[in-house]
Amino acid sequence: MATPVVELKRVSKYFAKVIANKDVSFCAYEGEVVALLGENGAGKSTIMKILYGLYGADEGTILIRGQETTVRSPRDAMQRGIAMVQQHFSLVPTHTVTENIILGNARGRISLKEENQKIQALANRYGFDIPVEAKVGNLAVGVQQKVEILKALYLNTNILILDEPTAVLTPQESDNLMEFIKTYAAQGNTVLFITHKLKEVMEVADRVVVMRDGMVAGDLRRSETDEHKLAKLMIGQDLTANAQPALREFSDESTILELRNVTVEQKNQPALLEGVSFAVHAGEIFGIAGVSGNGQDAVCEAICGGREITSGEILCNGRSLVEDTIRQRIEAGIGYVPVDRYRDGLIMDMTLSENMLLKSSFSKHWTRHGLIDQKVLDRYTADLIQKHQVKATGPDETAKSLSGGNQQKMVLGREIDIGQKVIVFNQPTRGLDMGAVDRIHKSMLEEKEKGKGVLLISTELSELFEMTDRFAIMYKGKIMGIYRNGELSTEEIGLLMAGYTGKEA
């Protein structure tokens, strides 16, 4: 039998008392694509960082081509033909593509012309349409990811680790990446592919390693499994699918949130938003699709008061919010679940009770004779913990001690209570495991049934297809169109996300 290119034997990793990996064993062969599946915190990224030398294993053995190996650093890994493309790119935006790729990898006197030609030939070999002399900061996110992959290929990598590689890509870019993975593996290379998207696993993987609670829960050939079995292995139980929303007709009278020609300009830079108009109705989930960084955050901030608009109108129940403070918008019944819970949603060193108070400390519900009634606040927080199935010891636990999914559930509970009219969700399930995603989706549907207006920004088309009544597509701060769910194909949506109009498509 062939010798595995990579083999991990009973590898364990501990962070203080937390078990990140325990007795992890699996292997990958030449020309094979192995997908690593698991919930957020299941240990799949940690085990790959051990293989890449970012972490050291506390127990166990790593073998590369049958030889026991200690990988002490990424440089060690690269010398053994291992490269890793992480979720957050490590590119210098003011440098060109070529400069980024050769940075740290070229010695002595360098001919930039020759390096440009060498890297252009490498890009052409793998079908990557990349302008090698362009500055990385001027490139689309999907092209930047190709630059990261080229950095790995430049080093003659034959073991490529990809961590959630399609998170920032349009459907067409994702399809192109899948084709690259197949081509790269067919040339005798090995790909270790971390993803939470079951569709991608079934499309590209030869074998699937499922991780749960830091351990291997299953190691299956793709031909011997399906999405349902993989999902059950990931979470340890069956998930009940949410019913596809019954599409409703909405009248103008039911409009609860409206943006009219909203523009947000920046000095000496392109506008963040340009003439954005849409309406969200009571009892509707309205989505915004698009690759990250195309104005979605500015829409949320404009609605919730975190960013002044240059022109246009924002209306809630027919009343203008433009002159309102953030507090006035909170009092008007607008809740906001931000994309970055660490930066904008919670203060990590505060208790859960203190975090629940942050946006409504002025509320008479908490105060007695001008002082905070701690018992009332703790009781409210304990109720939220129970209602949203948060794994926490109680209201006195600090936010930083919770997992990402449980932190998000606490933010969700607070904002649902604040958002009596409208709730804005900005990528609420990003980076979360399937159990937490399921809970958040159910909460959104419950609020919709209560007649609230729900605005859902998501880069996941599958999430928008599952949850929304209508959705808009954004590209570079503009609305490319507003459509009923089911009206466009994935390919048509992908073209609009990339900036192509219907005529050009």
Side-chain angles (χ1 to χ4, degrees), residues 2 10 35 45 94 140 195 235 254 278 283 319 329 344 359 422 459:
R10 302 182 67 83
S45 290
T94 52
T195 180
I235 64 171
S254 66
F278 62 83
R319 189 181 72 82
R329 298 181 199 216
D344 302 321
K359 290 180 67 175
V422 174
T459 57

Side-chain angles (χ1 to χ4, degrees), residues 234-423:
M234 283 171 67
I235 64 171
Q237 63 185 42
D238 283 314
L239 275 181
T240 55
N242 294 318
Q244 190 73 15
L247 298 182
R248 305 175 182 177
E249 295 293 337
F250 297 98
S251 65
D252 291 342
E253 290 74 27
S254 66
T255 299
I256 198 166
L257 174 70
E258 186 176 7
L259 276 68
R260 296 178 182 170
N261 293 313
V262 171
T263 295
V264 175
E265 294 178 344
Q266 306 176 96
K267 189 175 181 180
N268 300 325
Q269 292 184 52
L272 285 174
L273 299 176
E274 191 173 338
V276 170
S277 299
F278 62 83
V280 183
H281 301 90
E284 178 184 30
I285 299 180
F286 183 90
I288 295 181
V291 176
S292 290
N294 278 277
Q296 300 97 316
D297 291 351
V299 167
C300 298
E301 291 162 359
I303 293 169
C304 299
R307 185 181 292 276
E308 288 188 15
I309 66 173
T310 308
S311 61
E313 275 290 349
I314 302 174
L315 306 164
C316 182
N317 276 345
R319 189 181 72 82
S320 176
L321 299 176
V322 173
E323 300 298 325
D324 283 3
T325 62
I326 293 176
R327 173 172 169 174
Q328 286 172 323
R329 298 181 199 216
I330 292 169
E331 290 176 325
I334 297 177
Y336 176 34
V337 179
V339 63
D340 190 338
R341 56 185 168 271
Y342 305 103
R343 186 188 68 190
D344 302 321
L346 298 164
I347 296 177
M348 291 298 159
D349 289 326
M350 283 187 172
T351 67
L352 299 181
S353 284
E354 289 166 341
N355 272 288
M356 294 307 99
L357 180 74
L358 284 177
K359 290 180 67 175
S360 55
S361 57
F362 49 81
S363 172
K364 293 179 181 178
H365 184 65
W366 315 118
T367 55
R368 181 184 295 177
H369 309 302
L371 299 173
I372 301 296
D373 189 329
Q374 191 66 45
K375 288 183 179 178
V376 173
L377 179 59
D378 285 346
R379 194 158 52 242
Y380 167 79
T381 306
D383 287 344
L384 277 188
I385 290 171
Q386 184 177 15
K387 179 180 178 182
H388 293 281
Q389 301 170 16
V390 179
K391 292 179 182 177
T393 57
D396 291 335
E397 189 167 357
T398 58
K400 67 183 177 184
S401 65
L402 269 58
S403 69
N406 288 302
Q407 290 170 351
Q408 189 76 331
K409 289 178 190 175
M410 291 305 297
V411 175
L412 180 88
R414 182 186 67 203
E415 299 305 318
I416 280 175
D417 279 1
I418 289 171
Q420 292 301 304
K421 302 292 184 186
V422 174
I423 310 174

Side-chain angles (χ1 to χ4, degrees), residues 114-127:
E114 289 180 9
E115 292 295 338
N116 280 334
Q117 291 172 348
K118 187 190 300 183
I119 288 165
Q120 190 66 67
L122 184 65
N124 293 341
R125 178 182 167 192
Y126 287 98

Side-chain angles (χ1 to χ4, degrees), residues 49-64:
K49 287 177 179 178
I50 290 171
L51 179 59
Y52 187 53
L54 290 169
Y55 296 150
D58 294 322
E59 298 167 357
T61 306
I62 297 173
L63 292 90
I64 306 296

